[in-house]
Amino acid sequence: MSQATTKLNAFPVFMRVEGEAVAIVGGGEEALVKARLIAQSSAVLHIIAGDAEPDLLAFIAETGANHMPGAYDASQLEGAVMVFAASGDEALDRRVAADARRLGIPVNAVDRPDLCDFFTPALVNRAPVAVAIGTEGAGPVLAQMLRSRIDRMLSPSLGPLAALAASFRNAAERLPRGNVRRRFWSDFFGGAPARAVEAGEFSQAREAATDLLLSDAPIRGHIALVGAGPGAEDLLTLRAHRLLMEADVIVHDALVPEAIVAMGRRDAERLPVGKRKGCHTKSQAEINALLVDLGRQGKRVVRLKSGDPLVFGRAGEEMAALRDAGIAYEVVPGVTAAFAAAADFELPLTLRGVSSSMVFTTGHDLKGNSLPDWAKLAISGATVAVYMGRSVAAEVAGRLIEAGLSPDTAVAVVENASLANRRRFHGTLADLPSLEARADLSGPVMTIIGDAVAGANFERSEPLAAHRHESVPVAAAEGVQP
């Protein structure tokens, strides 16, 4: 691409409008859209409309904008810092544009780029922070799409946090230049003050900022135990994404896809602590010690866990270790695999008149001589979501049938839930043991059992019964009478 094609034809600036007049000429929808945009600022809005439509009149009444009725006259523009020609009438818009230029006032004519001195951006408002997206009038829809994405990325608390920062600016300027001052602002926007503002604790935020300003103590670390979801990047929560962008270190499990790890800061250190079945690169005790050590180094850490950290994620052990060490932490929930698998099947996990409760478990819970208490819930109609159950599928099926659950109970199985390469299977509890013989299923497998499963959409799934002959029949394996 040549340098000429990368040059902007419209240079973005922010104009001071506090207490200044902004004039809008027009009485219809175009004028209302511009009025709503300018109303996000502290400008004094003048709406010049001889025949204003009801919605615009309601806006004027609600906001207290200055309404100038009657026929348009150029004198009505005098004193304005910017003008919008939004009448919908080309001849009038051209007249307004010519009058504004004669008076030395920048003008924007709606949907008439040839008449525009400036273009209005798509605006993400976190006052006093603003993000403006412009396309020089070439692609308003594209600008709105980008605005929507950026809006989701920025915390709603960013505006109050920026306002608090402004109140500390003079004090921060007295700190030594260089690392000391940078550390203060880094900790301010990424540490305790920011977390307090996000929680709505503004007095605590101010106290935390004051402590940062006065303290010469080592930087305190913070660990975020973050649910990475079932695998699809767009199922990551907005809070999780923000924390990834702030993290100094990302500690991630093996089941977390690289695409999600890559959503963090480019310069963040990445530490895999992979834990797959039969292959643990670090023990849980080693992971706990690693998180404590990083916290003591003053690092901002995201501990990425597949699914939700509080559902079979061993977060309890990590939280206990962090509490014992006095390291600050938080938990960010994620979409657990059971919900993703149910969504892949369009499967109601609860169904009125059929199932009103759920059980989350692993197949290994059924090992041993006694059935766990939740088996009784399954028999009484609860929907059971079994994590990591492929290698013990026959034991799961046999023990549940032995306990009294019908072999005809509906079953749904998903490999790689939420991902493009997911595979779906359906059948009954009697078909479930066939999973153990499926060497082609290398991804994580989620199994959902219960009468509510019968309400799923099986159009895009394969029948488990087709593979049933490959495994030992349930009745023979468990001594259950057919």
Side-chain angles (χ1 to χ4, degrees):
M1 182 178 292
S2 68
Q3 184 178 358
T5 60
T6 63
K7 289 185 178 292
L8 292 170
N9 293 320
F11 190 79
V13 296
F14 286 90
M15 180 182 292
R16 290 188 180 275
V17 295
E18 183 180 6
E20 301 287 353
V22 173
I24 299 176
V25 180
E29 179 65 22
E30 296 90 346
L32 179 59
V33 169
K34 296 302 181 187
R36 286 173 173 159
L37 178 66
I38 299 302
Q40 296 183 55
S41 75
S42 55
V44 178
L45 193 53
H46 292 182
I47 298 177
I48 303 165
D51 188 17
E53 293 181 0
D55 286 347
L56 183 58
L57 289 173
F59 172 86
I60 292 169
E62 179 183 349
T63 61
N66 182 21
H67 182 200
M68 298 180 176
Y72 162 75
D73 185 87
S75 63
Q76 295 168 313
L77 306 181
E78 292 179 0
V81 295
M82 67 175 74
V83 171
F84 291 90
S87 70
D89 181 313
E90 183 175 1
L92 179 54
D93 285 349
R94 287 189 176 277
R95 180 184 164 195
V96 171
D99 290 341
R101 289 197 181 95
R102 180 172 50 81
L103 292 168
I105 307 170
V107 62
N108 173 278
V110 177
D111 293 334
R112 307 188 201 282
D114 58 309
L115 298 180
C116 293
D117 296 326
F118 66 92
F119 301 100
T120 52
L123 186 65
V124 180
N125 185 355
R126 297 288 190 276
V129 176
V131 180
I133 305 103
T135 62
E136 298 184 4
V141 174
L142 174 61
Q144 290 298 331
M145 290 173 61
L146 294 173
R147 186 202 66 80
S148 179
R149 293 181 186 180
I150 295 171
D151 190 52
R152 291 195 299 268
M153 290 172 58
L154 299 181
S155 169
S157 65
L158 180 59
L161 180 62
L164 180 63
S167 70
F168 277 85
R169 183 173 178 178
N170 289 338
E173 290 297 315
R174 292 193 288 270
L175 292 172
R177 289 181 178 273
N179 289 337
V180 174
R181 194 179 299 180
R182 279 197 301 271
R183 188 182 77 174
F184 169 77
W185 286 121
S186 177
D187 289 350
F188 182 96
F189 288 113
R195 291 192 293 272
V197 170
E198 188 156 8
E201 303 290 348
F202 298 105
S203 60
Q204 290 184 19
R206 183 168 289 279
E207 290 174 8
T210 302
D211 289 344
L212 281 178
L213 198 64
L214 301 177
S215 174
D216 57 0
I219 303 170
R220 295 189 62 194
H222 179 265
I223 316 295
L225 307 178
V226 174
E233 301 99 295
D234 54 357
L235 289 181
L236 193 71
T237 66
L238 299 179
R239 184 180 298 177
H241 192 190
R242 287 197 296 270
L243 287 168
L244 277 170
M245 292 300 294
E246 297 168 358
D248 302 312
V249 183
I250 300 171
V251 179
H252 61 93
D253 284 340
L255 288 177
V256 177
E258 169 60 25
I260 288 181
V261 178
M263 294 172 77
R265 268 176 37 202
R266 185 179 303 177
D267 60 341
E269 184 180 4
R270 301 178 184 182
L271 300 178
V273 290
K275 298 183 74 175
R276 288 183 181 270
K277 183 177 176 60
C279 180
H280 294 183
T281 60
K282 283 188 181 294
S283 69
Q284 187 59 54
E286 289 173 326
I287 294 172
N288 296 347
L290 172 64
L291 295 177
V292 169
D293 182 55
L294 290 170
R296 285 174 174 163
Q297 293 178 40
K299 302 290 188 181
R300 289 172 297 182
V301 180
V302 165
R303 168 70 171 107
L304 269 181
K305 293 173 173 289
S306 181
D308 183 280
L310 302 178
V311 179
F312 305 119
R314 304 189 75 168
E317 298 169 52
E318 293 173 9
M319 289 189 290
L322 293 169
R323 278 196 299 268
D324 290 345
I327 305 296
Y329 70 88
E330 66 179 293
V331 181
V332 179
V335 176
T336 190
F339 297 152
D344 286 342
F345 258 109
E346 302 168 26
L347 185 164
L349 291 169
T350 59
L351 190 61
R352 187 168 56 180
V354 177
S355 177
S356 60
S357 57
M358 274 204 68
V359 172
F360 291 171
T361 187
T362 69
H364 303 284
D365 284 346
L366 282 169
K367 290 191 172 183
N369 296 324
S370 60
L371 281 169
D373 291 340
W374 63 256
K376 300 174 184 177
L377 295 175
I379 295 166
S380 64
T383 302
V384 178
V386 184
Y387 292 69
M388 303 168 285
R390 186 183 71 82
S391 63
V392 291
E395 188 166 7
V396 169
R399 295 295 301 276
L400 287 176
I401 292 172
E402 182 183 16
L405 193 61
S406 170
D408 294 327
T409 303
V411 170
V413 176
V414 183
E415 178 197 26
N416 294 323
S418 82
L419 297 176
N421 63 339
R422 62 185 174 268
R423 297 180 66 187
R424 288 161 282 207
F425 305 89
H426 66 272
T428 65
L429 192 58
D431 301 323
L432 188 59
S434 65
L435 278 181
E436 288 193 32
R438 297 296 301 271
D440 58 318
L441 300 181
S442 57
V445 171
M446 169 61 62
T447 302
I448 304 177
I449 305 167
D451 292 333
V453 175
N457 181 355
F458 300 122
E459 291 181 2
R460 295 184 296 277
S461 65
E462 306 172 38
L464 278 170
H467 307 279
R468 189 174 177 184
H469 67 279
E470 300 174 2
S471 63
V472 180
V474 174
E478 300 296 334
V480 179
Q481 293 298 318

mmCIF file with all atom_site columns, all heavy atoms in Angstrom, residues 414-425:
data_model
loop_
_atom_site.group_PDB
_atom_site.id
_atom_site.type_symbol
_atom_site.label_atom_id
_atom_site.label_alt_id
_atom_site.label_comp_id
_atom_site.label_asym_id
_atom_site.label_entity_id
_atom_site.label_seq_id
_atom_site.pdbx_PDB_ins_code
_atom_site.Cartn_x
_atom_site.Cartn_y
_atom_site.Cartn_z
_atom_site.occupancy
_atom_site.B_iso_or_equiv
_atom_site.pdbx_formal_charge
_atom_site.auth_seq_id
_atom_site.auth_comp_id
_atom_site.auth_asym_id
_atom_site.auth_atom_id
_atom_site.pdbx_PDB_model_num
ATOM 1   N N   . VAL A 1 414 ? -21.428 -34.029 23.478 1.00 0.00 ? 414 VAL A N   1
ATOM 2   C CA  . VAL A 1 414 ? -20.782 -33.039 22.612 1.00 0.00 ? 414 VAL A CA  1
ATOM 3   C C   . VAL A 1 414 ? -19.275 -33.091 22.842 1.00 0.00 ? 414 VAL A C   1
ATOM 4   O O   . VAL A 1 414 ? -18.807 -33.033 23.982 1.00 0.00 ? 414 VAL A O   1
ATOM 5   C CB  . VAL A 1 414 ? -21.282 -31.606 22.889 1.00 0.00 ? 414 VAL A CB  1
ATOM 6   C CG1 . VAL A 1 414 ? -20.637 -30.627 21.903 1.00 0.00 ? 414 VAL A CG1 1
ATOM 7   C CG2 . VAL A 1 414 ? -22.795 -31.526 22.776 1.00 0.00 ? 414 VAL A CG2 1
ATOM 8   N N   . GLU A 1 415 ? -18.522 -33.220 21.762 1.00 0.00 ? 415 GLU A N   1
ATOM 9   C CA  . GLU A 1 415 ? -17.074 -33.063 21.800 1.00 0.00 ? 415 GLU A CA  1
ATOM 10  C C   . GLU A 1 415 ? -16.741 -31.653 21.314 1.00 0.00 ? 415 GLU A C   1
ATOM 11  O O   . GLU A 1 415 ? -17.284 -31.181 20.325 1.00 0.00 ? 415 GLU A O   1
ATOM 12  C CB  . GLU A 1 415 ? -16.390 -34.082 20.890 1.00 0.00 ? 415 GLU A CB  1
ATOM 13  C CG  . GLU A 1 415 ? -14.867 -33.925 20.865 1.00 0.00 ? 415 GLU A CG  1
ATOM 14  C CD  . GLU A 1 415 ? -14.210 -34.619 19.684 1.00 0.00 ? 415 GLU A CD  1
ATOM 15  O OE1 . GLU A 1 415 ? -14.869 -34.794 18.644 1.00 0.00 ? 415 GLU A OE1 1
ATOM 16  O OE2 . GLU A 1 415 ? -13.025 -34.960 19.808 1.00 0.00 ? 415 GLU A OE2 1
ATOM 17  N N   . ASN A 1 416 ? -15.852 -30.962 22.021 1.00 0.00 ? 416 ASN A N   1
ATOM 18  C CA  . ASN A 1 416 ? -15.424 -29.603 21.662 1.00 0.00 ? 416 ASN A CA  1
ATOM 19  C C   . ASN A 1 416 ? -16.614 -28.634 21.616 1.00 0.00 ? 416 ASN A C   1
ATOM 20  O O   . ASN A 1 416 ? -16.828 -27.927 20.624 1.00 0.00 ? 416 ASN A O   1
ATOM 21  C CB  . ASN A 1 416 ? -14.693 -29.594 20.315 1.00 0.00 ? 416 ASN A CB  1
ATOM 22  C CG  . ASN A 1 416 ? -13.388 -30.347 20.360 1.00 0.00 ? 416 ASN A CG  1
ATOM 23  O OD1 . ASN A 1 416 ? -12.674 -30.308 21.349 1.00 0.00 ? 416 ASN A OD1 1
ATOM 24  N ND2 . ASN A 1 416 ? -13.084 -31.071 19.287 1.00 0.00 ? 416 ASN A ND2 1
ATOM 25  N N   . ALA A 1 417 ? -17.374 -28.602 22.689 1.00 0.00 ? 417 ALA A N   1
ATOM 26  C CA  . ALA A 1 417 ? -18.553 -27.734 22.745 1.00 0.00 ? 417 ALA A CA  1
ATOM 27  C C   . ALA A 1 417 ? -18.198 -26.291 22.422 1.00 0.00 ? 417 ALA A C   1
ATOM 28  O O   . ALA A 1 417 ? -17.163 -25.782 22.857 1.00 0.00 ? 417 ALA A O   1
ATOM 29  C CB  . ALA A 1 417 ? -19.198 -27.807 24.139 1.00 0.00 ? 417 ALA A CB  1
ATOM 30  N N   . SER A 1 418 ? -19.023 -25.648 21.628 1.00 0.00 ? 418 SER A N   1
ATOM 31  C CA  . SER A 1 418 ? -18.957 -24.236 21.223 1.00 0.00 ? 418 SER A CA  1
ATOM 32  C C   . SER A 1 418 ? -18.000 -23.975 20.068 1.00 0.00 ? 418 SER A C   1
ATOM 33  O O   . SER A 1 418 ? -18.042 -22.905 19.469 1.00 0.00 ? 418 SER A O   1
ATOM 34  C CB  . SER A 1 418 ? -18.573 -23.302 22.386 1.00 0.00 ? 418 SER A CB  1
ATOM 35  O OG  . SER A 1 418 ? -17.168 -23.263 22.603 1.00 0.00 ? 418 SER A OG  1
ATOM 36  N N   . LEU A 1 419 ? -17.112 -24.925 19.743 1.00 0.00 ? 419 LEU A N   1
ATOM 37  C CA  . LEU A 1 419 ? -16.125 -24.692 18.699 1.00 0.00 ? 419 LEU A CA  1
ATOM 38  C C   . LEU A 1 419 ? -16.647 -25.117 17.326 1.00 0.00 ? 419 LEU A C   1
ATOM 39  O O   . LEU A 1 419 ? -17.589 -25.910 17.216 1.00 0.00 ? 419 LEU A O   1
ATOM 40  C CB  . LEU A 1 419 ? -14.830 -25.444 19.008 1.00 0.00 ? 419 LEU A CB  1
ATOM 41  C CG  . LEU A 1 419 ? -14.106 -25.009 20.289 1.00 0.00 ? 419 LEU A CG  1
ATOM 42  C CD1 . LEU A 1 419 ? -12.896 -25.892 20.540 1.00 0.00 ? 419 LEU A CD1 1
ATOM 43  C CD2 . LEU A 1 419 ? -13.692 -23.553 20.194 1.00 0.00 ? 419 LEU A CD2 1
ATOM 44  N N   . ALA A 1 420 ? -16.004 -24.618 16.282 1.00 0.00 ? 420 ALA A N   1
ATOM 45  C CA  . ALA A 1 420 ? -16.449 -24.934 14.922 1.00 0.00 ? 420 ALA A CA  1
ATOM 46  C C   . ALA A 1 420 ? -16.307 -26.420 14.618 1.00 0.00 ? 420 ALA A C   1
ATOM 47  O O   . ALA A 1 420 ? -17.076 -26.976 13.817 1.00 0.00 ? 420 ALA A O   1
ATOM 48  C CB  . ALA A 1 420 ? -15.645 -24.108 13.923 1.00 0.00 ? 420 ALA A CB  1
ATOM 49  N N   . ASN A 1 421 ? -15.343 -27.106 15.258 1.00 0.00 ? 421 ASN A N   1
ATOM 50  C CA  . ASN A 1 421 ? -15.127 -28.529 14.990 1.00 0.00 ? 421 ASN A CA  1
ATOM 51  C C   . ASN A 1 421 ? -15.864 -29.435 15.979 1.00 0.00 ? 421 ASN A C   1
ATOM 52  O O   . ASN A 1 421 ? -15.496 -30.601 16.159 1.00 0.00 ? 421 ASN A O   1
ATOM 53  C CB  . ASN A 1 421 ? -13.629 -28.844 15.017 1.00 0.00 ? 421 ASN A CB  1
ATOM 54  C CG  . ASN A 1 421 ? -13.005 -28.606 16.386 1.00 0.00 ? 421 ASN A CG  1
ATOM 55  O OD1 . ASN A 1 421 ? -13.554 -27.872 17.199 1.00 0.00 ? 421 ASN A OD1 1
ATOM 56  N ND2 . ASN A 1 421 ? -11.857 -29.211 16.640 1.00 0.00 ? 421 ASN A ND2 1
ATOM 57  N N   . ARG A 1 422 ? -16.899 -28.916 16.617 1.00 0.00 ? 422 ARG A N   1
ATOM 58  C CA  . ARG A 1 422 ? -17.650 -29.729 17.577 1.00 0.00 ? 422 ARG A CA  1
ATOM 59  C C   . ARG A 1 422 ? -18.347 -30.898 16.875 1.00 0.00 ? 422 ARG A C   1
ATOM 60  O O   . ARG A 1 422 ? -18.702 -30.830 15.701 1.00 0.00 ? 422 ARG A O   1
ATOM 61  C CB  . ARG A 1 422 ? -18.685 -28.882 18.314 1.00 0.00 ? 422 ARG A CB  1
ATOM 62  C CG  . ARG A 1 422 ? -19.744 -28.272 17.412 1.00 0.00 ? 422 ARG A CG  1
ATOM 63  C CD  . ARG A 1 422 ? -20.652 -27.350 18.211 1.00 0.00 ? 422 ARG A CD  1
ATOM 64  N NE  . ARG A 1 422 ? -21.588 -26.629 17.380 1.00 0.00 ? 422 ARG A NE  1
ATOM 65  C CZ  . ARG A 1 422 ? -21.369 -25.428 16.858 1.00 0.00 ? 422 ARG A CZ  1
ATOM 66  N NH1 . ARG A 1 422 ? -20.215 -24.822 17.081 1.00 0.00 ? 422 ARG A NH1 1
ATOM 67  N NH2 . ARG A 1 422 ? -22.275 -24.837 16.117 1.00 0.00 ? 422 ARG A NH2 1
ATOM 68  N N   . ARG A 1 423 ? -18.554 -31.971 17.640 1.00 0.00 ? 423 ARG A N   1
ATOM 69  C CA  . ARG A 1 423 ? -19.314 -33.123 17.145 1.00 0.00 ? 423 ARG A CA  1
ATOM 70  C C   . ARG A 1 423 ? -20.390 -33.439 18.168 1.00 0.00 ? 423 ARG A C   1
ATOM 71  O O   . ARG A 1 423 ? -20.144 -33.398 19.379 1.00 0.00 ? 423 ARG A O   1
ATOM 72  C CB  . ARG A 1 423 ? -18.389 -34.324 16.929 1.00 0.00 ? 423 ARG A CB  1
ATOM 73  C CG  . ARG A 1 423 ? -17.333 -34.083 15.867 1.00 0.00 ? 423 ARG A CG  1
ATOM 74  C CD  . ARG A 1 423 ? -16.448 -35.307 15.683 1.00 0.00 ? 423 ARG A CD  1
ATOM 75  N NE  . ARG A 1 423 ? -17.205 -36.430 15.139 1.00 0.00 ? 423 ARG A NE  1
ATOM 76  C CZ  . ARG A 1 423 ? -16.698 -37.664 14.998 1.00 0.00 ? 423 ARG A CZ  1
ATOM 77  N NH1 . ARG A 1 423 ? -15.448 -37.906 15.375 1.00 0.00 ? 423 ARG A NH1 1
ATOM 78  N NH2 . ARG A 1 423 ? -17.429 -38.635 14.491 1.00 0.00 ? 423 ARG A NH2 1
ATOM 79  N N   . ARG A 1 424 ? -21.563 -33.775 17.674 1.00 0.00 ? 424 ARG A N   1
ATOM 80  C CA  . ARG A 1 424 ? -22.712 -34.034 18.535 1.00 0.00 ? 424 ARG A CA  1
ATOM 81  C C   . ARG A 1 424 ? -23.225 -35.450 18.314 1.00 0.00 ? 424 ARG A C   1
ATOM 82  O O   . ARG A 1 424 ? -23.302 -35.910 17.172 1.00 0.00 ? 424 ARG A O   1
ATOM 83  C CB  . ARG A 1 424 ? -23.825 -33.019 18.243 1.00 0.00 ? 424 ARG A CB  1
ATOM 84  C CG  . ARG A 1 424 ? -23.525 -31.629 18.739 1.00 0.00 ? 424 ARG A CG  1
ATOM 85  C CD  . ARG A 1 424 ? -24.377 -30.582 18.077 1.00 0.00 ? 424 ARG A CD  1
ATOM 86  N NE  . ARG A 1 424 ? -23.881 -30.277 16.735 1.00 0.00 ? 424 ARG A NE  1
ATOM 87  C CZ  . ARG A 1 424 ? -24.042 -29.124 16.114 1.00 0.00 ? 424 ARG A CZ  1
ATOM 88  N NH1 . ARG A 1 424 ? -24.699 -28.154 16.701 1.00 0.00 ? 424 ARG A NH1 1
ATOM 89  N NH2 . ARG A 1 424 ? -23.558 -28.926 14.912 1.00 0.00 ? 424 ARG A NH2 1
ATOM 90  N N   . PHE A 1 425 ? -23.603 -36.101 19.405 1.00 0.00 ? 425 PHE A N   1
ATOM 91  C CA  . PHE A 1 425 ? -24.138 -37.448 19.354 1.00 0.00 ? 425 PHE A CA  1
ATOM 92  C C   . PHE A 1 425 ? -25.367 -37.522 20.262 1.00 0.00 ? 425 PHE A C   1
ATOM 93  O O   . PHE A 1 425 ? -25.421 -36.851 21.289 1.00 0.00 ? 425 PHE A O   1
ATOM 94  C CB  . PHE A 1 425 ? -23.099 -38.475 19.833 1.00 0.00 ? 425 PHE A CB  1
ATOM 95  C CG  . PHE A 1 425 ? -21.795 -38.417 19.092 1.00 0.00 ? 425 PHE A CG  1
ATOM 96  C CD1 . PHE A 1 425 ? -20.775 -37.576 19.531 1.00 0.00 ? 425 PHE A CD1 1
ATOM 97  C CD2 . PHE A 1 425 ? -21.584 -39.180 17.961 1.00 0.00 ? 425 PHE A CD2 1
ATOM 98  C CE1 . PHE A 1 425 ? -19.562 -37.508 18.863 1.00 0.00 ? 425 PHE A CE1 1
ATOM 99  C CE2 . PHE A 1 425 ? -20.378 -39.113 17.277 1.00 0.00 ? 425 PHE A CE2 1
ATOM 100 C CZ  . PHE A 1 425 ? -19.369 -38.278 17.729 1.00 0.00 ? 425 PHE A CZ  1
#
